[in-house]
Amino acid sequence: MLKAISSEVTKLLSLRSTWIYVILFTGSIYGPTTLYMLFNDSSRLDGGWPELLFGGMIFLMIAIIFGASTTGGDISNHMTAHAFLTQKSRSSWLLARALVAAVFVELNYILGVALSWAVFNVFPAGHFTGEGQLLVWGYAVGAPAFAVMAVGIAALLRNRVGAIALPLVWMLVIEGLLAMGGQKIPFLKTLYHLSPGSRVPDMQSWVVSTDHAGMASPTSGFIVLIAWMVVLLALGLYSNKVRDVK
């Protein structure tokens, strides 16, 4: 397993696209904060973690694209056949890919948050209050979880475009419809609370709201994220094990 992880790390560091992803990941966090500070004329800006994480949802979408495209690319280019020939089990490369993807996304998140914090405090008007710490942990868990989910979906569908499109359509379209329908139909509201895409944004609503009636708790949000990550990776591993190599 360690050799499989080493192979995935070497592959990741040898690709020029990796550094493009670093720019996209970190920029999605500190970029919106920079624009917020530049175009705000207030003499004093009191801000907590929500103000430093304006671009958090963009980061999550990039995490999905990264996990799906790197895994789906290997399958499309038949790189998995080489892994199957050189590693002891079929699951090694996929588990290594999922682990490396999660760590890579988490490191970029930490760097992006650090840069966002630095930008906020560099401006004379900026006054960081440290409020809303829940949101930091929400993205810290959600970002690698979404990357691993995308890895599992890519292994299951064996198609890069589908692995990117399916979770994005679910997050941007289906969950919105569930939220609207859930206002009148309790079953749809339950489905919405069990869907992964809105768990982190709902944590932001939890932070800024004083009335939590009808909201899913942050604890349930973390559980939903972890559960979806485990289930989708397990499905990807099963598909990777039983399907023919092409």
Side-chain angles (χ1 to χ4, degrees):
M1 187 63 188
L2 291 177
K3 290 183 179 180
I5 294 173
S6 176
S7 174
E8 292 300 324
V9 171
T10 300
K11 186 188 306 179
L12 185 67
L13 296 178
S14 65
L15 296 173
R16 284 180 295 180
S17 60
T18 299
W19 309 110
I20 296 175
Y21 275 115
V22 170
I23 295 171
L24 292 174
F25 273 127
T26 57
S28 69
I29 298 293
Y30 75 81
T33 303
T34 302
L35 294 175
Y36 172 70
M37 299 300 291
L38 282 173
F39 293 105
N40 199 307
D41 297 329
S42 301
S43 59
R44 179 184 173 92
L45 291 173
D46 293 326
W49 290 110
E51 284 69 33
L52 267 63
L53 293 169
F54 282 132
M57 281 304 295
I58 301 174
F59 189 96
L60 293 185
M61 293 180 188
I62 298 173
I64 291 172
I65 294 170
F66 171 76
S69 63
T70 53
T71 306
D74 273 7
I75 294 173
S76 299
N77 296 328
H78 311 294
M79 292 294 292
T80 52
H82 298 281
F84 294 161
L85 289 172
T86 58
Q87 296 173 11
K88 292 183 178 180
S89 68
R90 283 193 173 195
S91 62
S92 295
W93 85 272
L94 190 59
L95 288 173
R97 168 56 55 84
L99 178 61
V100 170
V103 172
F104 179 73
V105 169
E106 191 70 17
L107 290 176
N108 278 283
Y109 173 72
I110 293 171
L111 179 58
V113 170
L115 291 172
S116 184
W117 180 89
V119 166
F120 192 90
N121 286 281
V122 161
F123 282 82
H127 180 252
F128 182 62
T129 62
E131 296 178 346
Q133 294 183 13
L134 171 65
L135 197 59
V136 181
W137 295 108
Y139 283 115
V141 173
F146 276 114
V148 174
M149 289 181 209
V151 169
I153 293 172
L156 183 62
L157 298 182
R158 303 176 70 84
N159 182 283
R160 176 167 23 193
V161 176
I164 294 172
L166 179 60
L168 291 182
V169 169
W170 183 269
M171 290 174 60
L172 299 176
V173 180
I174 304 300
E175 289 194 3
L177 295 175
L178 290 175
M180 293 173 60
Q183 297 176 5
K184 295 184 178 181
I185 305 175
F187 174 69
L188 294 181
K189 186 174 184 179
T190 301
L191 286 181
Y192 173 79
H193 286 161
L194 293 176
S195 298
S198 299
R199 295 311 93 219
V200 178
D202 281 1
M203 290 182 194
Q204 185 167 10
S205 300
W206 183 280
V207 168
V208 300
S209 177
T210 55
D211 183 10
H212 297 155
M215 293 185 179
S217 69
T219 301
S220 68
F222 284 119
I223 293 173
V224 167
L225 286 172
I226 298 301
W228 274 96
M229 179 185 71
V230 171
V231 169
L232 288 175
L233 182 58
L235 289 174
L237 286 168
Y238 177 77
S239 175
N240 181 65
K241 179 180 179 180
V242 302
R243 296 175 75 169
D244 293 336
V245 179
K246 295 183 180 180

